[in-house]
Amino acid sequence: MKTNTATQLLLAACAGMLPCPGAWGSTAVCQDQSYYLKTACPHPLSLAGPTDDRVYLRFQTGWASKYECEGLDLWDGSLCMFVPEIQYKEWVGKVWYGVSTDHRNHAELKYRLDYIKELGNWTVMPWYEHSFVFPGDKGIPRPGLKTTYHFSDRWFGGTDLYWQYNNHTFRGYYAVFAGLHEEIADCVRVDAVVRYGYNGGYVGPVVHHGSNALDYNLSFTFRATSRLTVELFTNYSQALTVVKQRDLGDDFYYGINLKYTF
């Protein structure tokens, strides 16, 4: 599927949604502090709303030129993703479905639950997901823990640790990241993140234990309406050590994400 065709389909999907109040409110409060948490692969930054008594329903859809995780291009082609999401206070549940757009018969389904807790300058997020790769996969359990420390309103850093249970063994992937976010105009936000990842057996058998990749991510998020946000992102993944030795990695990709809050 061509890039422009995919983008048109995504815009059409969001245009057909029913209007109702959003988590951010009106454009007058666009500069209010919000949580930006990277909760899925590839790199869309997932917006978590206020921890009040309301139940938030959201739908996210997006397109990326590559499906890349842990410094590797998994599908050798682009993908579309569809993510219905529900949040109540600190709990966020979602279903992530990604499908290749180049007729290679690749698809993946993930059920995921996050718990988000603010502890002073820290944001702590334990999570669990169960992932199915089609066709024929029985599913893989994946627990994880992400911690973020906010040095200021702009600067942050943290760790992203996760594991998968496969063939009766837990194998992990361990990442550290640092970045900044900035409101560059009313309802326009830029995020820049650098992320280092170490493979502890999570990626295999193609790649052995060791440094996998250094990712440089840049995204622009626009508050289009009181209910709809649009994110444009680019990412360069620099191969390190074990990935580079296999002549893999060093990939650049880009994409768009649309998120609608009911």
Side-chain angles (χ1 to χ4, degrees), residues 75-90:
W75 287 355
D76 191 28
S78 59
L79 85 154
C80 278
M81 67 170 185
F82 308 91
V83 189
E85 178 180 309
I86 183 171
Q87 177 176 356
Y88 179 68
K89 294 187 175 180
E90 293 90 358

Side-chain angles (χ1 to χ4, degrees), residues 138-238:
K138 62 181 180 180
I140 298 176
R142 292 172 176 161
L145 175 64
K146 181 175 181 178
T147 60
T148 304
Y149 184 81
H150 306 275
F151 298 98
S152 67
D153 291 340
R154 296 180 178 178
W155 297 93
F156 60 89
T159 62
D160 198 3
L161 317 174
Y162 45 96
W163 300 264
Q164 64 179 0
Y165 185 72
N166 198 4
N167 295 326
H168 308 289
T169 304
F170 272 103
R171 299 179 174 89
Y173 194 83
Y174 314 107
V176 294
F177 60 89
L180 65 89
H181 40 238
E182 180 71 37
E183 300 284 348
I184 60 175
D186 288 346
C187 304
V188 181
R189 180 179 178 126
V190 60
D191 291 78
V193 181
V194 178
R195 184 175 186 264
Y196 163 80
Y198 180 91
N199 177 35
Y202 187 91
V203 181
V206 176
V207 178
H208 299 290
H209 289 61
S211 299
N212 258 44
L214 192 62
D215 286 287
Y216 307 89
N217 183 264
L218 181 66
S219 65
F220 294 87
T221 304
F222 306 90
R223 186 64 173 170
T225 71
S226 61
R227 297 167 298 275
L228 176 65
T229 58
V230 181
E231 181 200 22
L232 304 174
F233 68 89
T234 62
N235 191 94
Y236 177 71
S237 183
Q238 178 183 355

Side-chain angles (χ1 to χ4, degrees), residues 4 29 36 60-61 70 81 112:
N4 58 351
V29 295
Y36 275 75
Q60 179 178 336
T61 185
E70 290 78 48
M81 67 170 185
R112 181 172 173 127

Side-chain angles (χ1 to χ4, degrees), residues 65-66 68 216 233-237 249-254:
S65 60
K66 293 182 180 181
E68 179 146 345
Y216 307 89
F233 68 89
T234 62
N235 191 94
Y236 177 71
S237 183
D250 288 333
D251 292 318
F252 173 78
Y253 59 94
Y254 53 90

Side-chain angles (χ1 to χ4, degrees), residues 33-55:
Q33 184 69 24
S34 301
Y35 306 114
Y36 275 75
L37 302 168
K38 189 190 302 179
T39 60
C41 182
H43 282 288
L45 298 177
S46 179
L47 174 65
T51 55
D52 55 23
D53 289 332
R54 175 186 166 183
V55 175

